[in-house]
Amino acid sequence: MPAKKRQNYCAQVFEAVDHIRKSLAAYKINRVELSILLGSGLGDFADTLQARRSISFSSIPHFPSPSVAGHSGRLVFGETEAVPICCLQGRVHYYEGHDMRAVTFPVRVLGALGIKRLIVTNAAGGLHSNWKAGDLMLIRDHVSLFMPNPLLGPNLHMFGPRFPDMSECYSKTLRQLAVKCARKIRLKLRQGIYAAVSGPSYETPAEIKMLRKMGADAVGMSTVPEAIVARHMGMECLGISIITNLAAGISRSRLSHQEVLETAQRIKPKLTKFLNSLFHEISRLT
Ligand code: HPA
């Protein structure tokens, strides 16, 4: 990316930030502690917040708008368990034809707004035959060798370092809290490695066998670019996968986006309870 284009990108991030700050001032919201990115079919969580205020992605300068069913495209501010949070209700994916800078633009904006923590959720295929659609998996780490790294190109020094460390991409502190919350509400929480692929075609059974050999437990088409950019900006990150189906070759049936959305819909009450408990615990951290 030439220097001018890089400057433009940073300027675009700050234009979006200014726009959001003005809306927040008009809504009298002066504190946002946490952000959550809601993946395929999970956007409804934002509708459970109290004192909700939303801004559509299309009204924010330079913000990319999702084109996929199950992703609505709004930034929703509100409270849960008295914790002020911000939800990205929808995301754009690399497979939609956006470049990685566009895919991660919303996270850049959250980071530049000064939000220190990001929870990333997604729908994913499970790589174990004894897992079930509807299980939740805490992401311990990821494998991402099939999509470009979002930090490729000249480094955006104002946001973070050239070579950010990824040895703890998903915060240990936040993961421990997530495990504690799951126990408290008697939720079975699996843990594992998320493999990111570009999509949009689902994987072949041979690819799934390869991912399994690489140590992956779940596969999906998102999350990693956003997590890398969040870490680049020094945000603390937590990842949660909803296992919406078993992966190709493990599942006996053919994969469909409809099944992904239906499973996401079905686990909504369980996920909402878990997230509320998690927000409450996280807000007690300093
Ligand atoms: N593969 C990739 N992405 C997914 C899947 C899958 O099986 N399920 C939901 N998102």
Side-chain angles (χ1 to χ4, degrees):
M1 188 186 274
K4 186 138 199 294
K5 216 165 162 197
R6 183 166 77 226
Q7 274 169 6
N8 281 347
Y9 182 81
C10 296
Q12 287 174 352
V13 170
F14 288 110
E15 252 182 78
V17 166
D18 278 351
H19 177 90
I20 295 166
R21 283 222 172 101
K22 282 188 190 125
S23 303
L24 291 181
Y27 295 149
K28 300 197 174 11
I29 297 173
N30 48 25
R31 197 169 61 101
V32 182
E33 290 195 354
L34 246 173
S35 55
I36 178 164
L37 199 168
L38 299 165
S40 291
L42 306 172
D44 289 359
F45 172 77
D47 301 330
T48 68
L49 300 183
Q50 283 116 42
R52 255 185 336 273
R53 296 291 190 173
S54 67
I55 308 173
S56 76
F57 287 176
S58 59
S59 73
I60 306 172
H62 317 293
F63 229 73
S65 286
S67 63
V68 185
H71 287 268
S72 61
R74 287 189 309 171
L75 201 54
V76 183
F77 293 86
E79 290 187 6
T80 174
E81 303 277 325
V83 185
I85 70 165
C86 163
C87 298
L88 280 169
Q89 201 178 35
R91 59 151 66 86
V92 299
H93 302 80
Y94 183 57
Y95 65 69
E96 289 171 74
H98 299 280
D99 67 22
M100 282 299 188
R101 301 253 169 178
V103 169
T104 53
F105 187 87
V107 175
R108 289 286 183 208
V109 170
L110 295 180
L113 272 168
I115 300 173
K116 297 276 178 263
R117 295 189 174 111
L118 174 70
I119 300 178
V120 192
T121 65
N122 60 55
L127 267 57
H128 297 279
S129 56
N130 63 339
W131 287 18
K132 289 192 179 57
D135 285 352
L136 297 189
M137 185 190 91
L138 186 64
I139 302 180
R140 268 197 288 115
D141 203 350
H142 69 234
V143 173
S144 179
L145 305 169
F146 316 105
M147 280 205 269
N149 189 298
L151 306 181
L152 276 177
N155 185 43
L156 305 176
H157 298 294
M158 70 168 64
F159 292 138
R162 171 73 292 189
F163 300 110
D165 175 62
M166 286 288 141
S167 46
E168 196 187 309
C169 186
Y170 304 90
S171 152
K172 192 167 177 189
T173 308
L174 296 185
R175 279 186 283 129
Q176 283 170 341
L177 271 190
V179 170
K180 181 174 149 193
C181 291
R183 263 199 216 117
K184 207 157 73 185
I185 62 168
R186 297 174 177 275
L187 169 90
K188 183 158 107 192
L189 183 63
R190 300 194 180 277
Q191 295 195 42
I193 308 298
Y194 175 88
V197 293
S198 74
S201 55
Y202 287 112
E203 305 67 44
T204 62
E207 286 165 344
I208 292 299
K209 272 193 194 143
M210 176 197 69
L211 292 174
R212 187 67 209 110
K213 283 195 178 139
M214 293 174 89
D217 300 289
V219 58
M221 304 174 193
S222 65
T223 297
V224 168
E226 291 107 335
I228 291 175
V229 162
R231 290 304 299 136
H232 182 242
M233 299 185 92
M235 297 168 86
E236 242 186 320
C237 198
L238 184 76
I240 300 165
S241 289
I242 316 305
I243 305 299
T244 50
N245 56 282
L246 294 187
I250 299 175
S251 166
R252 284 200 204 107
S253 48
R254 290 182 178 224
L255 273 54
S256 77
H257 187 56
Q258 191 53 32
E259 180 194 3
V260 168
L261 294 183
E262 280 167 14
T263 311
Q265 187 67 15
R266 180 160 59 78
I267 57 92
K268 224 168 47 186
K270 180 163 93 171
L271 181 70
T272 303
K273 196 167 164 196
F274 178 50
L275 291 178
N276 283 337
S277 161
L278 198 52
F279 289 133
H280 179 71
E281 287 294 331
I282 294 176
S283 73
R284 294 166 66 184
L285 294 172
T286 49

